[in-house]
């Protein structure tokens, strides 16, 4: 969900936003947005590994995984994997 946010989650859980953020930081050792982006990258990787991304561009894959921009997708992908999405895709599917 591209619109998933800490505010929306806090409203759904009926917990003040700052309390939820603090809880996530303390218990998970990461920020809410880092956790969300990590899950989005894991989803992109899973799609790449199954080949379900073969008919779309990497930019479209990023959007499908919840990123607003191509640059955000590439930035977080490289932070998480150490590779660009294109490099990663070539390594797992060198066709």
């Amino acid at each position: 969900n591209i619109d998933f946010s800490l505010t929306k989650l806090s409203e759904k859980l009926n917990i003040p936003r700052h309390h939820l953020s603090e809880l996530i930081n303390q218990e998970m050792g990461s920020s809410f947005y880092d956790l969300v982006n990590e899950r989005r990258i894991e989803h992109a990787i899973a799609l790449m590994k199954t080949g379900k991304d073969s008919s779309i561009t990497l930019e479209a894959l990023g959007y499908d995984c919840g990123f607003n921009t191509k640059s955000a997708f590439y930035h977080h992908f490289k932070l998480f994997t150490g590779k660009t999405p294109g490099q990663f895709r070539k390594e797992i599917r060198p066709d």
Side-chain angles (χ1 to χ4, degrees):
N1 181 349
I2 202 165
D3 296 323
F4 187 59
S5 68
L6 183 60
T7 300
K8 288 184 180 184
L9 182 60
S10 71
E11 289 169 356
K12 252 192 185 315
L13 297 173
N14 199 28
I15 298 172
R17 185 179 187 274
H18 65 280
H19 287 299
L20 181 58
S21 177
E22 187 177 325
L23 180 65
I24 291 169
N25 289 340
Q26 288 177 352
E27 296 299 318
M28 307 289 290
S30 187
S31 74
F32 170 79
Y33 292 102
D34 286 343
L35 289 171
V36 169
N37 288 328
E38 184 177 337
R39 297 300 178 268
R40 288 175 174 166
I41 296 302
E42 288 171 350
H43 182 61
I45 289 170
L47 292 174
M48 286 181 187
K49 287 183 175 179
T50 62
K52 292 182 180 178
D53 70 313
S54 61
S55 63
I56 61 173
T57 65
L58 290 170
E59 184 175 3
L61 176 63
Y63 289 125
D64 288 352
C65 292
F67 288 95
N68 306 7
T69 65
K70 175 183 175 181
S71 61
F73 175 53
Y74 277 58
H75 171 77
H76 290 286
F77 198 98
K78 188 154 188 173
L79 277 178
F80 186 71
T81 66
K83 300 173 180 140
T84 67
Q87 290 169 330
F88 188 87
R89 186 187 254 178
K90 277 185 187 171
E91 286 181 10
I92 61 169
R93 286 196 336 255
D95 47 26

